[in-house]
Structures are given as structure tokens and as C-alpha cells.
């Protein structure tokens, strides 16, 4: 069992001796007859509880504890004081400089209970700190692991897609339609895998990267994202895009996260179209003012059941399960939380879906 180490500070030698006499069998005791002497002991020894008289020449108990809190925040601080020192006491309590105060003259039982309680607090805080450090380490390792795996997987996948393209060209040359169909299926699988890996990387980056604020040109961001996602989704050539960006004001924000958010929403609007729909349409509206950018993305696709609406932002929730990972909207929500933005959704099955997001303008 750990022996509890207590430092007792008082300018009256009599009090120091009686404290020692009362508690020496229970605790490892250190004594100091001034604030300066107490700081000296703390610089050399790790104590668990510091008890100090308030009224001392040179440095009062509260002044000592202010210094102790700054230099050695771990030991729990108990102040001994008379009723007349209420003002100093109230301030010290409000500033969090002391854990507890005991009025003088102290009695043995009360003081002993306070030392025990103070030590419990010391131990709990230390355990919490250790657990937190352990948790942070595991979390870091896990994140790094996810990152390197995802990163490593992308390179061979890109090579496989390159080979598939070569094979398709070869088939066109040899007029083998069946062959081409097989390669197209493989290409789709690889693209899906690539999308899953990209989502994982986006999740990693969103949780790790700090916010970088820069000028955002929504018109450019949206056109670039549409081009990227059209390329990644076969059949998206038939979709008509109507884009309307009203940005009279400068917008400053985290382009990286804004691209993650809009990219996932655009990708979904493309993926969840009705195959039989002849006039596939995606409308994107952006309105920027001094305070906020409001973006709406409307599609006339499959729509989402009312029962599913409050679950689509959950990790791994997906409905049209052959098409995604169930991570996209979860990442959207996480990234928006970092930007202190908001998202809402309205949808009618077989008719379409409307996502509205609001991102604060830091300009
Ligand atoms: P996924 O990777 O499966 O696309 P998301 O988190 O992006 O994951 O979306 C979760 C589910 O919400 C999807 O499986 C899909 O069923 C539904 N969903 C998202 N966006 C749309 C949309 N625009 N139209 C219809 N359904 C959608």
C-alpha cells in the first residue's frame, strides 16, 4: 500500500510538533515553517497532500497555494484558517486554489478525514490522467494504423485500374464485347474499393487535421467536385446539373473540410438516382452572406424512407447497400461539427432528396 505523504506548513513550531505527534503513525510527514521552506520541500519530494496555515509572515497560505498550484499542480491543497480570513478564502476557493478549508483549531478526526479524502482525490486524478494518456496513445496508434493501411492499399489499386483500362482498350481492338463487360465490372469493383479507402482517409484526416482558413470560391469548388465525382461514377453522364452560386461576399473557411462535406453529398446525389428516370437532375444552390454560406443539394433520385432519415448520419448506416460504405454522411456530420455548421435533410421516396447545410463565414 502506498504511504500517504503529507506536507504541513505553519510558522508556529508548536503546531508543527502537535501535527507530527498526532499523525506520524499514519502518514509520512514533512513540515515547513514558511511558504519558502514548503516550496523547497516540494521541489525535492513528491507529496500527496499539502496542508497550510493561512496566517504566516512573508507568504500567506493562499499565496503559497497559488504558487504550488502553478508549479506542482498534483498535490491536493488544504487550508487552515480562522473565521476572520473569509475574504481571502472565498477568492481562493473560487480560483480553485484550494480543495478544502478547515477552521482552526483543528480536531484530529476532522483533519484526518480531510487528508483521507484529499488523497482519494489525488489518486483518482492520477489514475484518470494515466488512463487518458493510455487512451490517447491507443487512439493515435489506431489512427496511424488506419491511415497507413488505407494509404498502402491505394497504390496497388491504382495499378489494377491502370491494367483494367489497358485490357479494355485491347478488347475494343479485338472486338470482344463479353471481355469488355467483365473488365467494366472489375473496374466498378475497384472504383468502389477506392471510394471506401478514400472515405477512411477522409475520416482520418478530418479527425486529425487542424482547421485551415482560406478564401473559398464556391463556384470553383462545386464545379471541380462534380467533375471528380462524374468520373468516378459510370452512367453519371446522363445527369443534368443546375448550379446557382450567389456569392457577393468574401467567404473564409476550411476548404479541405468543405470539399469533404460537399463531395460526399454530391457523390450521394449521383449514386442514388433512379435508374429508370429519364430526366436525372441535381440542383445545387449556394447563398453566401457575411455570416454564413447556405448550400442546398437537391436530387430527383430514389429518396429516403422517413424511418431512415434520422439514422443516415450514423456510422455504417446504409440503405442501398451495394453502393457505399455507410460512412459518407457520418463523415459529413463530423466535418461539419468541426466547422460548427449544421445540416438538415428532407426527402420523399421515389421523388428525391434535399440536403441543406449552413457553414459559418469566418471572413
Ligand atoms: P454510403 O456510403 O452508403 O453512401 P452515406 O453515409 O453517404 O453512406 O449514406 C447513408 C445512406 O443514406 C445511403 O446508404 C443511402 O441509402 C442514403 N442516402 C444518402 N444520400 C442519399 C440521397 N441523396 N438519396 C437517396 N438516398 C441517400
Amino acid at each position: 500500500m502506498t504511504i500517504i505523504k503529507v506536507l504541513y506548513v505553519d510558522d508556529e513550531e508548536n503546531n508543527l510538533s502537535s501535527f507530527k505527534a498526532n499523525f506520524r503513525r499514519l502518514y509520512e510527514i514533512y513540515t515547513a515553517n514558511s511558504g519558502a521552506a514548503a516550496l523547497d520541500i516540494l521541489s525535492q519530494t513528491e507529496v500527496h497532500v499539502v496542508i497550510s496555515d493561512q496566517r504566516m509572515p512573508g507568504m500567506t497560505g493562499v499565496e503559497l497555494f497559488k504558487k504550488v498550484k502553478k508549479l506542482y499542480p498534483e498535490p491536493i491543497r488544504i487550508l487552515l484558517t480562522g473565521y476572520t480570513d473569509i475574504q481571502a478564502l472565498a477568492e481562493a476557493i473560487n480560483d480553485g486554489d484550494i480543495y478544502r478549508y478547515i477552521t482552526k483549531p483543528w480536531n484530529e478526526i476532522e483533519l484526518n478525514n480531510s487528508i483521507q479524502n484529499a488523497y482519494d482525490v489525488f489518486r483518482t486524478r492520477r489514475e484518470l490522467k494515466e488512463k487518458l494518456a493510455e487512451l490517447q496513445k491507443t487512439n493515435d496508434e489506431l489512427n496511424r494504423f488506419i491511415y497507413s493501411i488505407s494509404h498502402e492499399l491505394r497504390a496497388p489499386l491504382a495499378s489494377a485500374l491502370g491494367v483494367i483500362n489497358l485490357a479494355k482498350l485491347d478488347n475494343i481492338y479485338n472486338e470482344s464485347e463479353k471481355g469488355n463487360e467483365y473488365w467494366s465490372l472489375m473496374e466498378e469493383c475497384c472504383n468502389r474499393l477506392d471510394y471506401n479507402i478514400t472515405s477512411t482517409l477522409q475520416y482520418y484526416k478530418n479527425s486529425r487535421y487542424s482547421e485551415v482558413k482560406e478564401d473559398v470560391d464556391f463556384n470553383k469548388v462545386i464545379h471541380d467536385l462534380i467533375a471528380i465525382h462524374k468520373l468516378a461514377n459510370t452512367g453519371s453522364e446522363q445527369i443534368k446539373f443546375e448550379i446557382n452560386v450567389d456569392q457577393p461576399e468574401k467567404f473564409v473557411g476550411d476548404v479541405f473540410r468543405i470539399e469533404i462535406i460537399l463531395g460526399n453529398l454530391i457523390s450521394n446525389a449521383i449514386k442514388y438516382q433512379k435508374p429508370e428516370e429519364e430526366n436525372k437532375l441535381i440542383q445545387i444552390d449556394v447563398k453566401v452572406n457575411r455570416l454564413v454560406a447556405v448550400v442546398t443539394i437537391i436530387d430527383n433520385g430514389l429518396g429516403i424512407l422517413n424511418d431512415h432519415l434520422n439514422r443516415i448520419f450514423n456510422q455504417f448506416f446504409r440503405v442501398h447497400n451495394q453502393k457505399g460504405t455507410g460512412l459518407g454522411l457520418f463523415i459529413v456530420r463530423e466535418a461539419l461539427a468541426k466547422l460548427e455548421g449544421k445540416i438538415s435533410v428532407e426527402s420523399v421516396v421515389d421523388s428525391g432528396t434535399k440536403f441543406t447545410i449552413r457553414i459559418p463565414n469566418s471572413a
Side-chain angles (χ1 to χ4, degrees):
M1 216 183 88
T2 320
I3 296 179
I4 304 175
K5 295 182 186 174
V6 182
L7 168 61
Y8 186 88
V9 194
D10 200 317
D11 60 316
E12 284 176 44
E13 289 292 340
N14 282 346
N15 290 344
L16 294 180
S17 324
S18 74
F19 182 81
K20 259 196 226 159
N22 272 297
F23 294 107
R24 101 186 108 82
R25 272 166 287 106
L26 298 173
Y27 307 118
E28 188 172 317
I29 292 170
Y30 297 81
T31 55
N33 59 9
S34 70
L39 289 172
D40 203 33
I41 292 175
L42 286 169
S43 71
Q44 296 164 36
T45 317
E46 189 201 50
V47 304
H48 304 120
V49 181
V50 186
I51 303 167
S52 174
D53 185 28
Q54 161 66 352
R55 292 202 167 184
M56 295 185 294
M59 198 188 295
T60 65
V62 167
E63 283 164 356
L64 167 67
F65 281 167
K66 274 200 190 309
K67 288 204 166 92
V68 173
K69 185 180 156 199
K70 215 168 175 184
L71 296 169
Y72 315 102
E74 276 199 282
I76 307 298
R77 301 169 294 271
I78 297 174
L79 192 75
L80 297 172
T81 176
Y83 284 114
T84 45
D85 303 315
I86 279 304
Q87 180 65 32
L89 193 64
E91 268 174 35
I93 291 177
N94 290 342
D95 291 348
D97 296 336
I98 61 174
Y99 162 68
R100 190 168 279 194
Y101 75 92
I102 290 172
T103 46
K104 282 171 81 173
W106 48 263
N107 80 56
E108 194 184 328
I109 296 175
E110 189 191 2
L111 190 53
N112 193 33
N113 278 341
S114 296
I115 295 173
Q116 290 292 335
N117 288 343
Y119 179 68
D120 283 346
V121 173
F122 176 91
R123 214 189 42 218
T124 315
R125 281 186 192 163
R126 179 165 278 186
E127 280 169 8
L128 211 63
K129 217 164 133 185
E130 284 165 5
K131 285 270 172 299
L132 196 69
E134 239 173 72
L135 218 61
Q136 259 159 358
K137 190 167 161 270
T138 324
N139 200 32
D140 277 357
E141 280 168 4
L142 201 65
N143 269 334
R144 266 204 301 278
F145 178 73
I146 291 173
Y147 181 77
S148 28
I149 293 271
S150 314
H151 214 261
E152 293 300 315
L153 287 177
R154 283 201 94 181
L157 196 60
S159 312
L161 277 165
V163 176
I164 289 171
N165 272 329
L166 284 179
K168 278 169 85 178
L169 284 174
D170 202 42
N171 276 327
I172 289 169
Y173 189 68
N174 291 314
E175 293 179 356
S176 160
E177 272 192 24
K178 207 68 192 151
N180 243 349
E181 199 184 316
Y182 294 147
W183 286 115
S184 291
L185 282 173
M186 279 185 68
E187 187 181 24
E188 208 183 311
C189 291
C190 285
N191 277 333
R192 209 172 296 153
L193 192 55
D194 190 47
Y195 174 77
N196 294 358
I197 294 171
T198 309
S199 300
T200 315
L201 284 170
Q202 278 181 356
Y203 174 74
Y204 171 85
K205 288 177 181 166
N206 178 53
S207 61
R208 303 283 293 191
Y209 289 12
S210 45
E211 206 176 322
V212 180
K213 300 212 163 130
E214 51 193 299
D215 277 13
V216 181
D217 175 351
F218 277 97
N219 203 26
K220 181 173 183 320
V221 168
I222 286 171
H223 279 95
D224 288 353
L225 287 171
I226 290 173
I228 293 169
H229 289 286
K230 266 177 135 178
L231 268 184
N233 288 278
T234 34
S236 58
E237 313 78 45
Q238 307 151 9
I239 303 173
K240 188 174 167 218
F241 284 86
E242 278 178 14
I243 300 154
N244 188 359
V245 179
D246 179 13
Q247 187 173 2
E249 307 267 349
K250 183 179 159 86
F251 185 96
V252 175
D254 182 344
V255 181
F256 167 69
R257 288 193 173 80
I258 291 173
E259 281 179 353
I260 289 185
I261 294 162
L262 298 181
N264 274 295
L265 294 174
I266 290 171
S267 160
N268 281 351
I270 295 175
K271 278 190 305 190
Y272 301 117
Q273 285 286 334
K274 285 175 290 199
E276 70 285 0
E277 172 67 51
E278 282 185 4
N279 302 310
K280 296 186 175 98
L281 177 67
I282 297 175
Q283 290 164 284
I284 303 177
D285 271 281
V286 185
K287 278 199 170 52
V288 177
N289 65 33
R290 215 165 33 82
L291 300 174
V292 73
V294 181
V295 184
T296 53
I297 299 177
I298 306 175
D299 65 63
N300 62 345
L302 292 161
I304 304 166
L305 280 173
N306 246 340
D307 279 359
H308 291 157
L309 272 184
N310 56 353
R311 287 193 280 157
I312 52 174
F313 295 99
N314 294 352
Q315 210 171 356
F316 301 121
F317 180 83
R318 55 191 182 179
V319 187
H320 314 280
N321 59 2
Q322 74 282 25
K323 290 216 166 132
T325 53
L327 271 177
L329 290 178
F330 171 71
I331 294 168
V332 167
R333 195 189 62 184
E334 295 291 299
L336 263 173
K338 294 247 178 201
L339 306 182
E340 295 178 9
K342 286 202 170 73
I343 185 160
S344 60
V345 54
E346 295 157 46
S347 189
V348 178
V349 172
D350 276 341
S351 206
T353 304
K354 173 181 176 183
F355 282 96
T356 306
I357 59 167
R358 302 171 71 84
I359 308 170
N361 189 351
S362 307

